[in-house]
Amino acid sequence: MKTTDYLAIYAAVLSTIVFVWNILQSRPRFRLDLVIGMETQNGELQGGVYIIVRNLSNHDVHLASIGYCYQYMKPCLREYISHAWRFKQIPRRLGWVHSDLSNHAISTGCPITIGARKSHSVFLPESVIRTMLNGTFAPLLIARAQDELWNNVYTKPFNCSFVQKITA
């Protein structure tokens, strides 16, 4: 092979990498986090959890809603298999209840547009978390954000056992 052949292969590989990189960078992406924090409400310091939505892309992200999920049961293997067979998809949130923060009179500010490299946060007071997790299977909480095209982004399960420790 000649030097020009190596240069042509190098150029083809480099242009393919740049093309894929541009495709990946053109999609709006956002990440969701749950963080323990404190906030002053009505002149009183309250503990709780922040739901933080971060826009990681160079484009605006349009959020339709912010909600949460709690675990109401631990499904067995048979339920996983029957769900996968019935709906033809991997059951990721089987045994979890999806709910909206407006059920607890918490304003999320949605619908909202988050600018490039900006964030938005919502505070969940400890009393609301206690109400959310009352009678659940485990003290786990998952935050959910949905954009205007109905794409959902979830956090990993967040252990809220600190709520029981504070109230005990």
Side-chain angles (χ1 to χ4, degrees), residues 34 47-51 101 106 122-126 128-129 132 141:
L34 285 170
V49 174
Y50 280 99
I51 298 175
L101 293 174
I106 295 177
V122 177
F123 182 71
L124 304 177
E126 176 190 332
V128 173
I129 296 172
M132 288 176 185
L141 194 65

Side-chain angles (χ1 to χ4, degrees), residues 60-132:
D60 292 347
V61 171
H62 306 285
L63 289 183
S65 69
I66 298 173
Y68 68 96
C69 306
Y70 60 89
Q71 191 174 18
Y72 75 95
M73 69 175 226
K74 183 75 172 173
C76 63
L77 181 62
R78 183 179 53 84
E79 291 169 332
Y80 277 109
I81 293 170
S82 71
H83 184 276
W85 181 263
R86 182 176 177 197
F87 297 108
K88 309 291 189 270
Q89 64 182 9
I90 298 171
R92 291 187 178 100
R93 306 279 181 263
L94 191 61
W96 291 81
V97 175
H98 289 67
S99 187
D100 196 50
L101 293 174
S102 62
N103 295 337
H104 301 281
I106 295 177
S107 174
T108 61
C110 290
I112 186 171
T113 300
I114 302 175
R117 308 285 183 195
K118 301 287 183 186
S119 66
H120 176 70
S121 64
V122 177
F123 182 71
L124 304 177
E126 176 190 332
S127 58
V128 173
I129 296 172
R130 196 177 307 119
T131 305
M132 288 176 185

Side-chain angles (χ1 to χ4, degrees), residues 4 6 8 11 14-15 20-21 29 32 39 50 56 61 74 76 94 115 117 124 133 136 138-139 162 164:
T4 56
Y6 288 118
L14 185 64
S15 66
V20 170
W21 176 260
R29 294 183 325 269
L32 208 55
E39 190 171 280
Y50 280 99
L56 302 176
V61 171
K74 183 75 172 173
C76 63
L94 191 61
R117 308 285 183 195
L124 304 177
L133 298 177
T136 60
F162 70 92
Q164 279 113 12

Side-chain angles (χ1 to χ4, degrees), residues 133-157:
L133 298 177
N134 188 19
T136 60
F137 174 76
L140 298 174
L141 194 65
I142 293 178
R144 172 194 53 83
Q146 186 178 62
D147 67 5
E148 292 186 351
L149 296 175
W150 290 10
N151 297 317
N152 290 323
V153 173
Y154 296 92
T155 61
K156 292 180 180 176

